[in-house]
Amino acid sequence: MSDDKKNSGSPDRDRINVNEDYELQYWTKALGVSGDELRAAVKAVGPTAAAVREHLGK
């Protein structure tokens, strides 16, 4: 599924796409982690923001 920038509703906001620079920058700042840490978390638990937060203890 591609990242449709015109569709920014809840399903899109609840997922982290580490392949988009602007999302990587947003989420690393929001969670206080490095890009590598964020990529590892997404790889470990999937792209949902809630799962990544839980995995990182945020």
Side-chain angles (χ1 to χ4, degrees), residues 39-57:
R39 284 185 190 94
V42 168
K43 186 175 182 179
V45 298
T48 60
V52 170
R53 279 191 175 102
E54 185 176 331
H55 179 76
L56 295 171

Side-chain angles (χ1 to χ4, degrees), residues 28-51:
T28 54
K29 184 175 180 182
L31 297 172
V33 296
S34 71
D36 289 337
E37 290 171 314
L38 182 62
R39 284 185 190 94
V42 168
K43 186 175 182 179
V45 298
T48 60

